[in-house]
Structure formats: structure tokens, C-alpha cells
Amino acid sequence: FDFCQAEGKKRPSENLGQVLFGERIEPSPYRFTFNKKETCKSVCTKTYDTRKVEDKQKLDFLKKSMLLNYQHHWIVDNMPVTWCYDVEDGQRFCNPGFPIGCYITEDGRPKDACVINSEFHEKDTFYIFNHVDIKIYYHVVENEALGARLVAAKLEPKSYKHTHPDNPDCSGVPMDISNKANGEIKIAYTYSVSFEEEKNIRWASRWDYILESMPHTHIQWFSIMNSLVIVLFLSGMVAMIMLRTLHKDIARYNQMDSTEDAQEEFGWKLVHGDIFRPPRKGMLLSVFLGSGTQILIMTFVTLFFACLGFLSPANRGALMTCAVVLWVLLGTPAGYVAARFYKSFGGEKWKTNVLLTSFLCPGIVFADFFIMNLILWGEGSSAAIPFGTLVAILALWFCISVPLTFIGAYFGFKKNAIEHPVRTNQIPRQIPEQSFYTKPLPGIIMGGILPFGCIFIQLFFILNSIWSHQMYYMFGFLFLVFIILVITCSEATILLCYFHLCAEDYHWQWRSFLTSGFTAVYFLIYAIHYFFSKLQITGTASTILYFGYTMIMVLIFFLFTG
């Protein structure tokens, strides 16, 4: 964008999480001195001559951004500068950004932010917010050495057509850019800043303003109750089945005295000689289990830290950094789990197993990420990751994660294979005709519904925070939902597994993985619905990016739930 640039200032350095999320911080040309009030100070003036091709392109880009309601995000002392405005029923809503400008349509309808001012009324015209009134609130530190701390920064975007850009007075008509305007257009950028003492906000609680403007908590409690009901229902079912059937069976076994009775087995006892038959594609299953364990532990630890408040929004990019570092360090459990399962499936090719564990799932994620990055490079976006960071991520993966996976696999293969309590028969048993709900596909599709029911309200807020730049701070809720999701996945799988074992179908390994893993498919469907109903994304590149990143999330979620 062609806004005022800061000359000769160094860019602040960012951590890994910010770079991965494309959060670039740029120095600003606005200069403040503490407690020095400025009124209508000029920053710079941009002149566009529509007869020149280059200028016309810049101006068109600016118009397009106003049409699509692009936002400025400013930071003062690591605090987002917020724009607070009144919404219906007397509530104030604080937005961590403010729009570049707004547009009045050809039939005189104000779009987005144009409703805030009745002076914006020219048809088919853009109004650019070229002046900001910034108010910085500070808190005087009482008992220490004299000093003050900034506790909030608020701004009001305004639009003025400065008649003398060199000597601006910040009054008069708004700065309008007609869609059909020709000739020379001058946009002068100005600002006013004032400081105000705020005795009520402590420095430690300066992030609380986010909570005021987001009245979502009651929905959260509702969704938690909803999820807990599902969990109780499932736990009840599982407990009933386990107690009733197993109790009955064990009682029957204890009463048996003669061997003749023992011949009349039924249900799941008929498959005891086939139940530990190694699954088809055991290699792939063990690799998925390894990667899934890695992701499960990573999610648990990240959310646990986030709950304790180490990864608050004040710590920009901390969440992503923490997740990536943990994921790299958790190569050992991945290798260990994959090796144990592969060995118990009777596999011999342990080298292939280790290599697949360390390269298959991370490789897919990295390839997807790399393609997305190529698209961002092609579009010249600031969210593109520099080559150095890509090399750093590859180094983390190859030099830390892979060796750790090998160590884990070494210990996994050294231990004895998991002992099975019953021998597997030589000849596989025939599986009888299955009823509709014990067939593999309907069972798997039904299995994903319950876990998805637990999380879909949280998903809405998470997708909002990723795509609509809203703060996400409800990690306590998220941790609760995470625990509930783990329980629901396990219980739904146990139930469906029990049903099809009773129907004498002993292929349980893949089915139990896919039953809860199918939740990821519902997640994908939800993401597609979200894309069409909530986001106004135009352009092929943006659409490919959205679905590219969604696929990464879906894969990670699939491994995690499975």
C-alpha cells in the first residue's frame, strides 16, 4: 500500500510463530513524545496523477482495499491500538484495527464503516480515513521511581480534505475520492495525539479491554454443557455395556463345570482366535499412530501452557512458536509408538517404518506449506515466509526431529513385542453378513458425528481468530473442550468397536482409527461452509490459500483424533 513510510528505522524482529503466521511488524512514521499533545500534525502528502499509469494503479489498489474493507493494525508499546464504537443496545465494541476507508455505492448505500458519519453521502465515492485522533491512556506508578506506564491506546479514524496540506487545520469536508475522478488527487495524512491519566486500569490488567468487547462467554458455557451431556450419555452407554455384558459373561464362565457347555460361544468370543490378526497395511497404521501420538502430546502441552497464561495474546506468536518447538522435540514418542505397534503387527521392515514416521506426515504438511508459500511469493504478499525461515524449519525437522524419531524407534524395537493374551488361529475365520450399522462405512460415518458435536461451537471462534483477525483468548474453554473431545473420541470408538465385534467382524484396528478420525471430514465440511457463509474471499490465490491451510489443519486433526 502506498501509505507514509518511516525513513531509516529498523524493523522489529519477530519470533518463529509470527513469521509463520505472516505477522510482519513495520516501523511507523508517526512520532509521539510522552505527555506532549499534538494537534493536526502532518505526516506526509501523497499525490496521484490519474493520467500516469503507475499512479492510477496505486490509486486503484487503494480503492479496491477500501471496497473490501481492509484494516490497519497498529501497535503502541505492544498494545493493539483499538477503535471503539457503539453498537446496538448500549454496548461498545472495540476492534483491534480500523478500516483504510469506505465506499458509498452508486445507489447511495453506505458500506461498512461509512455509516459512522452522515457527511459521507456522495454516490459512487470512496472516503479515505487520512486523519487519526489517537488517545493514549497511562497509569502513574505510585511507589517506585517516578514514571508512567501505557495502559491503553484508542483511536478515532477521521476523514478531512485538507485545503492546505503543508499547514493542515483538520476541519471541513471529508476527503472524498470519486470513482470517476480524473486529474490530480492529493491525500494528506495527519494525526492528533493526546495523553490522559487512567487511574482504574493497572498495567498488569491492560489486556482486559478485549474481554469487555467480546460477549461470547455465555455461548461458551452453553457449548460446554452441550458437550458434557454428550460425554455423560456416551460414558453411561459404555459403562452399561461393559458392566452388563462382561459381568454376565464372567458369571457364566464361572458356572461352567463341564466342557460341553464351553462349545456354545457367541458374539465377540467367537473371534478370539482372529482378533489379534495383523491388520492390512499395518505399516501405514503404525506410522499414523506414531504421528498422532506426537500431535496429541503437543496439543495437550501447548493448551496446558496457554491455560496457565504463558501464551497470552500479549506474547505475539508465542502459541505457534510453542507448538512448532514441541512438535519438533516430540519425535521420540512418535518413533517409539510407531515401532511398538509395527513390531506387534509382526512387521520386519523397521528401517522403512522409521523413515515413514519421520517423513510421511511432516512431509505432507511441509509440502502443502511450501506450495502455499510459493503462491504468496508469486502474489508478492508480505505474509510470504523468507527463504531463511524455510531453511530454519527444515533444519529443525532434519537435525532435531528426525534423530529423535530414530532414538524413539530404537527403544521401541528393542522392547519385546506387545504380548497377546490369546493365540491367533492359522486359518482366518469367515465374517458373516453384516447388518447396516456394523458395516465399516456407516459405522465410521456415525462415529465422527458425536466428537464433532462437542467441538463445533469452539471451531467457529477458532476459525474467526485465524481468518477474521479476532483475538482468541479462551484457552480455559479450549482445554476443557480438548479433554471432552479426547474422551468422546475414545468412547464413541469403544462403543462402535464393541458392536461390530459382537457381529463377528474382527477387523478392528483400522476401523477404530478411522471411526474418530472421521471427525476431521466433518471439520473439512464445516470449513467449506464457513468459507462460503462467513468470508467474502475473492480471487483464485486467496481461495487456494484458504483451502491449502485448511487441508493442513484437517490432516493434523485427523491424526490427532484417530
Side-chain angles (χ1 to χ4, degrees):
F1 285 107
D2 191 33
F3 295 123
C4 306
Q5 300 293 322
E7 294 304 318
K9 278 178 95 177
K10 247 179 77 194
R11 287 193 47 227
S13 64
E14 292 110 349
N15 59 29
L16 182 66
Q18 279 166 291
V19 177
L20 289 182
F21 261 133
E23 292 179 17
R24 285 300 160 35
I25 303 177
E26 295 286 344
S28 121
Y30 295 79
R31 300 275 191 284
F32 303 154
T33 317
F34 180 62
N35 249 345
K36 183 177 163 201
K37 193 172 172 350
E38 301 271 13
T39 16
C40 207
K41 191 130 182 322
S42 169
V43 188
C44 70
T45 306
K46 295 281 183 186
T47 311
Y48 301 102
D49 188 348
T50 48
R51 294 184 290 273
K52 290 184 186 155
V53 179
E54 196 183 329
D55 282 11
K56 190 165 175 0
Q57 274 180 340
K58 283 181 182 171
L59 195 62
D60 285 344
F61 191 54
L62 210 56
K63 285 180 185 171
K64 186 184 168 193
S65 71
M66 289 189 249
L67 195 60
L68 294 171
N69 196 21
Y70 271 55
Q71 308 268 329
H72 289 280
H73 290 274
W74 289 5
I75 307 171
V76 173
D77 183 36
N78 201 23
M79 287 287 292
V81 183
T82 53
W83 172 40
C84 294
Y85 49 91
D86 293 312
V87 285
E88 67 267 10
D89 33 280
Q91 286 185 321
R92 279 182 84 64
F93 184 78
C94 289
N95 200 3
F98 68 96
I100 290 177
C102 63
Y103 176 59
I104 306 271
T105 56
E106 290 176 12
D107 48 8
R109 260 188 327 107
K111 281 187 64 165
D112 299 317
C114 276
V115 294
I116 60 171
N117 192 337
S118 54
E119 285 184 14
F120 300 161
H121 52 65
E122 296 283 323
K123 292 180 181 175
D124 195 17
T125 301
F126 292 94
Y127 288 97
I128 188 162
F129 292 128
N130 58 340
H131 172 86
V132 283
D133 285 334
I134 300 178
K135 202 170 210 175
I136 293 177
Y137 297 90
Y138 62 91
H139 177 95
V140 176
V141 183
E142 294 97 2
N143 38 25
E144 298 165 37
L146 281 175
R149 286 174 152 172
L150 307 186
V151 289
K154 297 203 159 109
L155 64 69
E156 285 282 327
K158 299 259 169 55
S159 181
Y160 294 119
K161 193 170 203 156
H162 301 294
T163 33
H164 311 289
D166 315 314
N167 184 11
D169 56 353
C170 295
S171 61
V173 291
M175 176 74 218
D176 53 341
I177 305 168
S178 171
N179 206 0
K180 302 185 176 61
N182 281 319
E184 201 173 61
I185 294 173
K186 275 191 173 181
I187 303 177
Y189 292 96
T190 54
Y191 69 94
S192 305
V193 61
S194 61
F195 290 82
E196 192 177 303
E197 187 174 353
E198 169 66 80
K199 291 194 165 67
N200 301 334
I201 306 179
R202 306 282 314 187
W203 188 76
S205 58
R206 61 183 194 160
W207 283 83
D208 290 359
Y209 74 91
I210 304 181
L211 302 173
E212 293 158 24
S213 62
M214 291 199 171
H216 292 326
T217 2
H218 55 278
I219 309 179
Q220 299 292 325
W221 282 117
F222 172 71
S223 91
I224 295 277
M225 294 319 294
N226 163 26
S227 313
L228 281 171
V229 168
I230 294 180
V231 168
L232 284 173
F233 159 72
L234 275 171
S235 308
M237 290 267 295
V238 172
M240 282 270 301
I241 285 179
M242 291 305 154
L243 287 173
R244 277 191 47 203
T245 42
L246 293 178
H247 186 77
K248 238 165 50 187
D249 291 333
I250 289 166
R252 276 189 50 226
Y253 270 118
N254 291 345
Q255 287 164 7
M256 280 183 193
D257 35 14
S258 62
T259 44
E260 297 78 270
D261 302 351
Q263 299 310 313
E264 303 163 23
E265 294 185 3
F266 64 95
W268 50 269
K269 297 207 207 32
L270 292 172
V271 293
H272 71 79
D274 295 276
I275 194 74
F276 292 114
R277 196 174 292 289
R280 289 174 288 222
K281 305 240 186 324
M283 171 77 85
L284 193 60
L285 183 60
S286 61
V287 169
F288 278 176
L289 288 168
S291 301
T293 312
Q294 190 175 7
I295 290 163
L296 179 76
I297 304 174
M298 171 194 91
T299 318
F300 180 79
V301 179
T302 308
L303 287 180
F304 187 68
F305 280 157
C307 273
L308 297 181
F310 292 137
L311 311 175
S312 73
N315 226 340
R316 285 166 203 287
L319 190 74
M320 193 66 182
T321 311
C322 174
V324 171
V325 169
L326 275 170
W327 183 82
V328 167
L329 295 178
L330 286 168
T332 314
Y336 179 78
V337 169
R340 281 304 300 265
F341 275 107
Y342 185 60
K343 194 171 176 183
S344 77
F345 293 156
E348 300 292 326
K349 304 188 197 137
W350 61 272
K351 288 179 190 145
T352 323
N353 182 267
V354 190
L355 288 171
L356 277 178
T357 308
S358 37
F359 292 118
L360 180 68
C361 300
I364 294 173
V365 170
F366 186 80
D368 188 330
F369 198 70
F370 186 70
I371 294 167
M372 295 301 109
N373 209 37
L374 283 180
I375 294 171
L376 285 169
W377 267 340
E379 295 283 316
S381 159
S382 63
I385 291 166
F387 189 68
T389 312
L390 277 179
V391 174
I393 293 175
L394 280 174
L396 279 175
W397 177 20
F398 284 111
C399 307
I400 303 176
S401 185
V402 174
L404 284 174
T405 314
F406 272 81
I407 292 170
Y410 171 74
F411 284 113
F413 278 117
K414 248 183 69 164
K415 286 195 74 157
N416 291 332
I418 302 165
E419 291 276 310
H420 295 321
V422 285
R423 266 205 339 268
T424 304
N425 295 340
Q426 291 285 310
I427 303 162
R429 210 188 133 77
Q430 202 177 354
I431 300 172
E433 185 62 35
Q434 297 291 310
S435 67
F436 176 70
Y437 68 93
T438 55
K439 282 202 179 85
L441 204 62
I444 289 171
I445 291 173
M446 282 191 314
I449 292 176
L450 288 168
F452 181 73
C454 290
I455 57 163
F456 81 99
I457 296 188
Q458 281 294 329
L459 264 185
F460 174 72
F461 293 114
I462 294 171
L463 289 178
N464 264 355
S465 75
I466 296 175
W467 301 116
S468 309
H469 277 283
Q470 293 175 358
M471 293 279 182
Y472 189 85
Y473 55 88
M474 298 176 276
F475 292 112
F477 281 122
L478 195 59
F479 192 63
L480 243 167
V481 168
F482 168 80
I483 301 293
I484 289 176
L485 175 68
V486 170
I487 297 171
T488 320
C489 280
S490 328
E491 292 186 338
T493 308
I494 290 172
L495 265 180
L496 287 155
C497 188
Y498 176 79
F499 287 147
H500 76 77
L501 285 183
C502 282
E504 299 174 37
D505 182 352
Y506 50 83
H507 295 301
W508 60 277
Q509 290 100 334
W510 269 109
R511 278 181 65 171
S512 56
F513 186 87
L514 293 172
T515 298
S516 49
F518 203 79
T519 315
V521 178
Y522 290 111
F523 174 29
L524 176 62
I525 294 168
Y526 185 75
I528 294 171
H529 163 73
Y530 180 84
F531 177 81
F532 286 114
S533 68
K534 285 282 181 296
L535 300 176
Q536 290 99 28
I537 288 185
T538 51
T540 14
S542 306
T543 311
I544 296 173
L545 284 172
Y546 176 84
F547 285 107
Y549 286 128
T550 301
M551 288 321 287
I552 293 182
M553 291 192 280
V554 166
L555 174 71
I556 289 176
F557 194 67
F558 168 72
L559 292 170
F560 158 73
T561 45

